[in-house]
Structure formats: structure tokens, C-alpha cells
Amino acid sequence: MRYYLTTPIYYVNSSPHIGHAYTTAIGDMLVRHQRQRGAETFFLTGVDEHATKVWRVAEEQGLEPQEYADRIAVPWRELPRRLNADIDFFIRTSDEGHKRFVREFLQQIYDNGDVYQDVYAGLYCVGCEAFKTEDELTPDGLCPDHLVPPEWIEEKNWFFRLSAYQDRLLALYDERPEFVRPDFRYNEARSFIAGGLRDFSISRAGQPWGIPLPWDESQVAYVWADALVNYVSALTYARPGEDLRERYWPAVHLLAKDILRFHCVYWPAMLLSAGYEPPRQLFVHGYLLLDDRKISKSLGNVVEPLELIDVYGSDAVRYWMARAISFGQDGSASIDGIRERYENELANDLGNLLSRTTAMVAQYRSGSLRRGDAEPPLDFEALAADVAERLDRFDVTGALDAIWDGVRGLNQYVTAEAPWQLAKDEANAARLDGVLYNLVDGLTALAVALAAFLPETAPLILAALNQPGDLAWERVRNGAAEEVDGIAAAKPLFPRIELPTPA
Ligand code: MSP
């Protein structure tokens, strides 16, 4: 079983914000989970450098575009690291390996007869890096996403014969009803294709920043014709001397709705033209909105994700992202929500459960865990199956909700069984052992189930319970905990936080 997941590669015209962190963090949860189930995984993220808007920002700052890109690549590379996203490669489209491969790939499309020269005249939104038709604009002629007027561009370009792929794309969609998820995004993409496809320009004449076309060095590749190819190019040079294409292609692509057409329509057609299999699947998620506004560089309400991580830690930020809005849908979240979830859910529900459990084993059983005699309160095999099935269909929020029901279920079990009462009478010894075992066992199963979401916390829980650190998914079951000695009262998992004073 192999699982290759990609995030979009982000534009480097400014620094990362929480919207980018969102896709990367959730992608990491999906990949880590598949790895726990035994899949051989590859997780790719990176940056998209050859955009007109990147070139313009560099000019504004008086820098050569490459120099600008090298500087801003630093915080972008830091983003997955700070999120504790376990990526296998970080791609930059200015990598020599990528540039070489893009030329090869576009040459294949050219050789296949799918490229021709024509004059294009139209409205271009630099924010979207896309041409716009009149009916895609607001009544006063602005780009609805960026609220700026598009620019008139007229140049002789090279075009990709997208129109020739309409039938093949429709056939692909019909054969594979799960090709694009969720369903309403599949329908959106399919009806866009069914509505008729226009060829699109794959080159730019007036821009020196980009990858020169192999058959016409006077033009550079249009940023999307360059960027999409990263999903394949990375596999050719991520591991020196190895070609990973055989092993990992086709990929699962994670992206938000803003770039649906490029991924669900243009990209599969480009792949077919260049002789590749189309992607394995695409999941198109919604926007994470803060206080009902889209987080966007252009709208100026950016929240610095790295700052949230500095205060709450990466696990808390990941947890908040997965739970605050239903993954797939648009949703509005408040930053205060992080604090509430940190205190009520992570510190109280989970952290206290571990503290109480370990303290009771230490106090009543001198740290020794024995199986004893008590029915387990929850069915962890059922939970394992439910969570796996949800994550297979990208229901990240539902999966975490289900695990959290388990956390709450164990808390109710503590209250219902009142081990402190059982401990008063030696006649209850076997039952007390059994209840304590069920708590440790339940926490073991939950820690393994949570490991994809809370990669820092899960090993701490297992260590506090003196259980092996193995995260194999089979361990999400009843009875996996080993009888051990030496369990001591655990330190708080999520200590109280001093908030920085508001500016
Ligand atoms: N460079 C292109 C993608 C090329 S992929 C071959 C691009 N870059 S971007 O920097 O604009 O990133 C867009 C992506 O960032 C979205 O598709 C989504 O994954 C993520 N998000 C940006 N803002 C977001 C939210 N507010 N909410 C959720 N995801 C967000 O487009």
C-alpha cells in the first residue's frame, strides 16, 4: 500500500498565514494516519516562485527575483517544521531538478501536438494568476476574490489544446465517481468540463522570471504550467539517484476550492497529454475563515500561524484546526477558540484523564498495572474502524470527534466507577485493578488513535503509562495495554498558559 499526498505549493509573494498552515497540517494528519496503517507514504509540500506577483514584489523591494525568493523561502520552509508536519520533501520551483523536468514535461505535450501559437487578449488577475472572463467579475469589474480590477494583457503566446481533452476528462469523471471529493466539488468540476473547455495559454512573453520553454526560449512557462508539474517533478529528484515516479505516482492532491479548476481540469488534461496517469484523487476543502472573513494576504487580516504555535504549541494548533470547522466545508473560527479548546478539551478532558489515571495507579497500586476484573467500557475495535473509514474519506473532523467521544467516555467511566471508593475496601481489589487497567488500556488506544493529530502528545501519553511507543494502528483495540510496573503520577500534558499581553 502506497500513499502519496501533496499540498498546493504556496506563492511566496508574502509570508505564510494560517490558511496555508491549515492545508499542510491536515495533510500531515492524513499521511501520518496512513503510515500508522502500514502504508509507504510520501508527503510533499513547497513553494511556487515563478508568479508575476512574486516578480513584482521582488521589484518593489529592489531585489532580483531569485534573491527575494531565497530570502522568503526561509519562513516557508519553517512552516511545516513548526507545525510538526513530517514532510518527505520541500519543493521550490526554482530547484534545478524542477526546472529541468518542467521543460521535459512541456516538451512532451508539445511533441504530442497539443501546443500551438496564438495571440491572446484578455483580462488577467495577478492575484489569481489567471485570465478572467467578464462574467467571472463583480458588477463593477473587479476580481471577486481579490477585489482589484484585472489587467488587460495582449500577447503572442503558446496555447495548450485543453478543448481536445473534454471527452477524455468527462470519461475519466464518469469512470471514477470518487475522483474529486467531496461530491459537490466533483459536480462543480464536472459541470465546468461539460460546459465546454477553452484552450489556455501556457507561456508568458513579457516576463523574464520563469522557466524558458524548450522550443521557444523567448517565452517562459506560465506559472500554472510550471507549478502543477511539481507534483511529478519532485519524485524525479527528491532522492538523488532515485526515480520515485514508479513507486508513488499517482498522487492524492489536497487543495482548497480557489484552485479547483487548475487541479481538477487543467492538470489531469496536461498529465494525459504528457503520457501520465491522472491523479489518484483530489480533495478540495473549504476556507478556514476567521470571524467570517477569508484569511488572505490581499485582505490584510492575516494571522501569523507561527505566533499561535509559539503560545499554544503545534499540537494545540493542529487540534484546533481539525476541530474548529468541519473539514471540507467553509467555516468560521475564532482565535479565542484555541484557548477554549486548549483549556477545556486538551488540558481538562485529555490531560486530566491521564493525570488522574496515573496518580490512581501510583497511589492505589504502587504503580503496578494488572488486568484485574472489569468489563471494558468502550469498544476500541469499533472506534478504530470508524476513524479509519472516516479518514479514508477525508472526514478529518469527524474522525477526531469520534476519538474525542472516547476521551469523554473514559472520563465518564472514572466518575461512574469512582476508583477512590473501590480503594476503600480490599474486597474490591480485583475490580479496582480492572478499572485501572481499563483506563490505562483506553488511554493507550486513544493515544495511538490521536497520534496523527497530536504527534507530540501521543508518545508522552504512552511513555507516562509505561507502554511501548509503537503507533501501529492495530494497537487501537481493547486489551493492547501491557501489565507494567512503575507508573508514576504524570506531569500535566497541557500546562496552564501565560498569555502574552495584548498589544
Ligand atoms: N501557488 C498556487 C498553488 C499552486 S499548486 C500547483 C496557490 N498558492 S496560494 O499561496 O495562494 O495557496 C492557495 C492554497 O492555500 C489554497 O488552495 C489552500 O490550500 C491554502 N489556503 C490559503 N488560504 C486558506 C484559507 N483561508 N483556508 C483554507 N485554506 C487556505 O494558489
Side-chain angles (χ1 to χ4, degrees):
M1 218 175 58
R2 296 198 174 118
Y3 189 79
Y4 171 31
L5 188 90
T6 68
T7 75
I9 49 171
Y10 307 112
Y11 288 130
V12 292
N13 57 316
S14 64
S15 6
H17 63 60
I18 201 143
H20 309 116
Y22 182 70
T23 311
T24 301
I26 297 217
D28 185 59
M29 296 170 199
L30 294 167
V31 175
R32 283 181 188 264
H33 171 76
Q34 293 296 334
R35 201 187 308 146
Q36 285 185 274
R37 285 175 40 203
E40 211 183 306
T41 59
F42 198 87
F43 184 24
L44 179 70
T45 188
V47 285
D48 185 355
E49 300 178 64
H50 298 130
T52 304
K53 54 184 169 186
V54 172
W55 180 47
R56 286 196 185 162
V57 173
E59 275 205 324
E60 278 164 25
Q61 300 191 4
L63 295 170
E64 284 303 314
Q66 191 60 62
E67 192 187 347
Y68 165 79
D70 289 346
R71 288 189 192 181
I72 197 149
V74 176
W76 281 100
R77 242 184 229 284
E78 216 190 324
L79 179 70
R81 206 171 50 74
R82 298 301 313 279
L83 287 166
N84 205 355
D86 193 6
I87 61 169
D88 291 284
F89 192 61
F90 185 93
I91 188 167
R92 294 183 56 183
T93 54
S94 61
D95 290 346
E96 285 309 320
H98 174 75
K99 292 196 274 192
R100 190 181 332 113
F101 185 81
V102 166
R103 284 160 63 91
E104 239 176 81
F105 187 94
L106 295 178
Q107 184 70 50
Q108 273 164 313
I109 292 180
Y110 182 86
D111 293 344
N112 195 20
D114 284 331
V115 175
Y116 62 92
Q117 206 167 27
D118 203 354
V119 173
Y120 194 89
L123 293 165
Y124 189 83
C125 171
V126 176
C128 297
E129 296 288 357
F131 283 104
K132 296 276 161 180
T133 55
E134 299 277 353
D135 59 344
E136 287 170 336
L137 303 176
T138 66
D140 36 359
L142 306 180
C143 162
D145 289 336
H146 294 92
L147 303 178
V148 290
E151 301 168 21
W152 182 256
I153 291 190
E154 190 168 346
E155 37 174 66
K156 198 168 191 186
N157 286 159
W158 292 96
F159 279 73
F160 173 63
R161 227 178 276 284
L162 180 66
S163 55
Y165 284 86
Q166 180 172 7
D167 291 345
R168 266 171 282 182
L169 288 175
L170 287 175
L172 172 69
Y173 273 72
D174 291 343
E175 271 161 35
R176 291 166 54 181
E178 310 254 292
F179 184 54
V180 174
R181 298 283 83 201
D183 227 26
F184 69 106
R185 298 294 178 201
Y186 171 96
N187 293 334
E188 186 181 333
R190 198 190 178 286
S191 35
F192 180 75
I193 300 166
L197 296 176
R198 290 170 58 176
D199 297 345
F200 70 96
S201 154
I202 54 162
S203 72
R204 299 302 303 275
Q207 186 179 310
W209 176 233
I211 304 176
L213 295 181
W215 63 88
D216 175 2
E217 303 253 338
S218 74
Q219 303 223 2
V220 299
Y222 166 49
V223 64
W224 278 100
D226 156 348
L228 286 162
V229 181
N230 92 88
Y231 300 135
V232 182
S233 77
L235 298 178
T236 65
Y237 70 95
R239 300 285 174 270
E242 264 186 274
D243 185 346
L244 301 173
R245 279 179 293 180
E246 269 291 298
R247 193 140 127 221
Y248 289 114
W249 191 259
V252 175
H253 299 310
L254 203 59
L255 54 136
K257 60 183 186 176
D258 52 339
I259 49 179
L260 174 142
R261 272 184 209 174
F262 291 106
H263 282 81
C264 302
V265 183
Y266 292 27
W267 176 229
M270 289 167 67
L271 283 163
L272 290 173
S273 172
Y276 284 86
E277 256 186 81
R280 176 167 143 197
Q281 204 173 28
L282 300 111
F283 189 88
V284 184
H285 64 76
Y287 286 136
L288 172 67
L289 306 149
L290 283 188
D291 303 323
D292 288 328
R293 287 179 68 199
K294 182 182 164 202
I295 307 158
S296 149
K297 290 169 272 205
S298 345
L299 295 176
N301 61 340
V302 173
V303 172
E304 173 60 78
L306 301 183
E307 274 173 26
L308 289 173
I309 295 169
D310 287 340
V311 179
Y312 295 101
S314 59
D315 274 9
V317 172
R318 293 163 65 105
Y319 178 85
W320 167 75
M321 285 176 169
R323 276 204 103 177
I325 68 168
S326 180
F327 184 62
Q329 308 293 318
D330 285 337
S332 167
S334 85
I335 286 290
D336 300 336
I338 296 193
R339 185 172 187 83
E340 284 158 26
R341 287 187 188 273
Y342 184 93
E343 287 175 356
N344 301 335
E345 296 169 18
L346 293 172
N348 263 345
D349 294 348
L350 182 63
N352 280 348
L353 179 63
L354 179 75
S355 306
R356 291 166 89 188
T357 300
T358 50
M360 290 189 293
V361 177
Q363 190 183 341
Y364 306 138
R365 288 295 178 260
S366 311
S368 293
L369 186 71
R370 296 296 176 265
R371 285 185 186 260
D373 186 16
E375 277 300 297
L378 301 169
D379 180 350
F380 286 106
E381 279 85 359
L383 180 72
D386 183 30
V387 169
E389 186 268 331
R390 284 177 189 275
L391 289 175
D392 282 343
R393 53 183 169 83
F394 304 89
D395 180 10
V396 174
T397 308
L400 189 49
D401 288 348
I403 299 172
W404 220 258
D405 285 345
V407 173
R408 296 205 166 121
L410 278 193
N411 276 308
Q412 284 157 8
Y413 182 65
V414 179
T415 315
E417 293 294 331
W420 47 92
Q421 296 292 351
L422 294 175
K424 287 181 183 161
D425 187 346
E426 205 28 53
N428 299 323
R431 176 152 193 93
L432 177 59
D433 273 336
V435 169
L436 294 176
Y437 178 83
N438 285 337
L439 289 172
V440 171
D441 189 50
L443 269 166
T444 302
L446 290 169
V448 176
L450 282 169
F453 303 91
L454 308 177
E456 237 170 61
T457 307
L460 296 179
I461 299 176
L462 294 173
L465 301 172
N466 276 358
Q467 298 297 320
D470 179 12
L471 298 176
W473 193 247
E474 297 81 67
R475 294 187 68 215
V476 187
R477 64 176 171 91
N478 294 92
E482 296 176 3
E483 294 191 333
V484 292
D485 298 310
I487 293 180
K491 286 200 301 253
L493 280 179
F494 296 94
R496 275 199 73 80
I497 286 196
E498 293 301 326
L499 268 192
T501 30

